[in-house]
Amino acid sequence: MAMFDDCLLESSPSRTPVLSGNHWLISFAVGIVISLVVFFGLPVVLVPPETKVLVTQSAILGILAFGFALMLCYVYADARHLGLSRWFWVAFTFILNMVGFIIYLIYTGTKTGDWKRVTFPIAYISQGILVGSMVLVPLIYTEALPKGQLMSILMAPPPPPPPPPPPPVAAIRIKKVTVDDMMRAPTVIPRRVAREQEAPTGAIGVVGGIPGGTLSGAMGGVLGGIIGGVLSSAVAPPPPPPKPSAPKRIRVGGQVESAKLIFQPKPEYPPLAKMARIQGSVRLEAIISKDGTIQDLKVLSGHPLLVKSALEAVQRWRYQPTLLNGEPVEVVTDIDVNFTLSE
């Protein structure tokens, strides 16, 4: 801090540094307190940033608070040495910050006649502001980056072009042939007429007949063959209905009778439920397989202390296979297991 000793303190009557050790200690304490308040208080008020960002912000604000406190200490001590109103100039500098400090230096320069205490600090402050602006402005305003490079980084690549459309399908025209078309005489005589081979001996029908025509039909008897074919298709009996297949699984209820039990071991009364005097029924949903064994069990209701014993007992039950249309089927049924304490 040779600047304070050589330049700012030329007007000091004793030619001794205005800032004492207590001033430096107070400034350091203010900087540390502001850093800690920002580090621990900023995540509570705002969205907590990353740790590195939070440490950097706390350090910057702590350094600024240290410089601000040191500036106020200097104004207080220097005004006391010059015999000026200390609290007025401290409050004036506190409100206007750097502007107030420069005004104070100009005022004391006019009082003492020493302008070195004004020019040197202003030069140092201007250099600090210039260097700080050169460092912080590119970090604050991202528009300083080249727009072409920034857009190439941020924009996603264009999507691939769509596939070409499929080739058009040629339309197929279907011409219906009616009975009138078949009976109409041709309007154009063909240049070449194919020879028809004679029917072999023993063949049934006449030359020029069609399938479904009568045996005694005449030459070119198209109408009789068509009528005979229509009648034969109309008289043909319908195919027999398919045999209904038996369902794989049925549910007991309505006209479906319950499966017949052939082996039914009684459940053991749980000792804990017996001591607690708990009784009641457990309702289960069971799937009885084709061979009469229990295939699946689901608990529908019941006391938790009685459920396990009911499941273990019903799992060993056996039923007579249920037949439907002479074939064994699976049966879905509800089973109630009752637990009653004897008096």
Side-chain angles (χ1 to χ4, degrees), residues 246-253 256-257 286-288 322-324 329-333:
K248 294 183 178 180
R249 184 179 297 173
I250 61 174
R251 175 176 283 275
V252 173
V256 180
E257 297 181 357
I287 297 178
I288 304 173
T322 303
L323 301 179
L324 183 62
V329 293
E330 295 181 351
V331 179
V332 182
T333 183

Side-chain angles (χ1 to χ4, degrees), residues 216-283:
S216 60
M219 182 72 67
V222 179
L223 183 59
I226 294 175
I227 295 174
V230 173
L231 292 177
S232 61
S233 61
V235 177
K243 183 180 180 181
S245 58
K248 294 183 178 180
R249 184 179 297 173
I250 61 174
R251 175 176 283 275
V252 173
Q255 297 181 356
V256 180
E257 297 181 357
S258 302
K260 184 177 181 181
L261 269 169
I262 57 177
F263 179 68
Q264 184 183 10
K266 298 296 182 181
E268 297 181 1
Y269 215 109
L272 187 59
K274 187 180 295 183
M275 293 173 60
R277 307 294 295 176
I278 296 174
Q279 56 184 353
S281 63
V282 177
R283 177 173 286 270

Side-chain angles (χ1 to χ4, degrees), residues 10-201:
E10 289 292 335
S11 62
S12 177
S14 60
R15 298 287 297 168
T16 57
V18 177
L19 295 175
S20 62
N22 293 332
H23 297 148
W24 289 95
L25 183 62
I26 292 172
S27 301
F28 276 117
V30 170
I32 293 174
V33 169
I34 294 299
S35 298
L36 294 177
V37 169
V38 173
F39 184 80
F40 293 103
L42 189 62
V44 178
V45 179
L46 302 176
V47 178
E50 297 182 359
T51 305
K52 293 182 179 180
V53 177
L54 187 60
V55 171
T56 304
Q57 293 175 351
S58 304
I60 293 174
L61 293 178
I63 294 173
L64 294 177
F66 164 75
F68 184 70
L70 190 65
M71 181 177 62
L72 294 179
C73 290
Y74 171 77
V75 171
Y76 176 83
D78 190 59
R80 185 178 61 181
H81 288 166
L82 296 178
L84 303 176
S85 178
R86 294 170 293 176
W87 295 112
F88 170 76
W89 285 109
V90 169
F92 185 80
T93 307
F94 180 83
I95 295 173
L96 298 181
N97 204 333
M98 190 63 65
V99 177
F101 182 64
I102 294 175
I103 294 174
Y104 171 77
L105 293 178
I106 295 174
Y107 178 77
T108 55
T110 58
K111 288 290 185 181
T112 59
D114 185 8
W115 291 99
K116 289 176 61 178
R117 61 185 288 120
V118 181
T119 56
F120 278 91
I122 292 178
Y124 282 114
I125 292 171
S126 302
Q127 292 177 5
I129 293 175
L130 181 61
V131 173
S133 301
M134 294 175 63
V135 173
L136 294 179
V137 167
L139 298 178
I140 296 174
Y141 297 99
T142 56
E143 287 81 359
L145 296 175
K147 286 190 176 181
Q149 182 180 0
L150 184 62
M151 294 301 291
S152 63
I153 294 174
L154 298 180
M155 291 183 61
V169 181
I172 301 175
R173 295 183 178 180
I174 300 176
K175 184 179 180 181
K176 295 182 179 180
V177 180
T178 61
V179 178
D180 296 337
D181 295 336
M182 298 174 64
M183 299 182 63
R184 188 177 302 165
T187 57
V188 181
I189 300 176
R191 295 181 179 180
R192 299 181 60 184
V193 179
R195 290 186 178 182
E196 296 190 12
Q197 298 180 357
E198 296 181 357
T201 306

